[in-house]
Amino acid sequence: KRAVESVFAQTRRPDIFLVLDHASSDRSAEELIRLAEPKRMDFRILTKTKNIGASGAMRFLIDEALKIKPDWIWFMDDDAAAEPRALEALLEAPESHDPGVFLLESTVVDGDGIWTPANRPAIFKPEIFEFEGLPGNSLDAGRAVEVHTGGYCGWFVRPRCFTEFGYP
C-alpha cells in the first residue's frame, strides 16, 4: 500500500501504472483498486494466480510494459516508497535525454537515509576484477554517477535495453 501510494503522490505521475498481484491471498488487488479509484490515472492490476518467483514476475512485468511501447519503464519493489519528486527528477536528468543512456537508477536509502547495501551501486574495476562501492558522498553529488551494478528497485530503463542486452 505504501509503495503504491508513493507513486500516486508523485509530482509527475507515470502515464501508465502497472502493478502485479503475484498470487496474493490477502485481498491485495481489492485494496489497490480502492486506492486507485479517486486518482484518475491509467492504473492496471495484472494478476498471476501462481507464484512464479521474483525473476519470473520481473520478466512478466517487463513483457507487459513493452507491449505498451513506453519511452521509459520505471521499476519499484513492493517494499519501497518513492520520494514525491523521484519520477520528475529522473525525467529531468540530462542523462534521460541522451539516447546513449539505457538505464538510470534512483538512489535507494533506508528509513534513516542510509544507502542500502543491497541497492548500493558499484563500479567494476577490470584491472583488479572486483567491484568497488561508491563513496557515501556520491549520494550528495546532485548529478548522475556512472555505475556498473545496482538493485532492481528504482530502475528507470529504456525499453530497447531489453532487446539489445536481454533481461535481468
Side-chain angles (χ1 to χ4, degrees), residues 3 11-12 14 21 64 94 98 100 102 126 146 151 154 157:
T11 55
R12 168 39 168 101
D21 177 1
E64 291 299 311
D98 179 343
F102 285 81
E146 183 176 344
V157 186

Side-chain angles (χ1 to χ4, degrees), residues 67-139:
K67 291 176 187 176
I68 298 166
K69 300 188 183 336
D71 295 326
W72 288 92
I73 301 171
W74 185 33
F75 291 89
M76 279 182 56
D77 282 341
D78 61 345
D79 60 352
E83 292 290 325
R85 278 199 73 250
L87 182 56
E88 183 179 351
L90 287 165
L91 288 165
E92 288 177 353
E95 295 80 8
S96 73
H97 304 287
D98 179 343
V101 172
F102 285 81
L103 184 145
L104 297 173
E105 184 177 40
S106 300
T107 301
V108 180
V109 296
D110 66 17
D112 296 321
I114 306 299
W115 207 341
T116 60
N119 291 297
R120 186 177 181 145
I123 298 173
F124 183 68
K125 301 286 189 180
E127 63 277 7
I128 58 173
F129 207 73
E130 289 185 12
F131 288 94
E132 290 184 1
L134 297 175
N137 65 2
S138 64
L139 283 171

Side-chain angles (χ1 to χ4, degrees), residues 53-68:
S55 295
M58 176 71 77
R59 174 70 186 246
F60 174 76
L61 280 168
I62 291 168
D63 287 342
E64 291 299 311
L66 291 175
K67 291 176 187 176
I68 298 166

Side-chain angles (χ1 to χ4, degrees), residues 10 39 51 61 128 142 156 162 167:
Q10 291 298 298
K39 302 304 180 190
N51 190 313
L61 280 168
I128 58 173
F156 192 60
F162 302 109
Y167 287 73

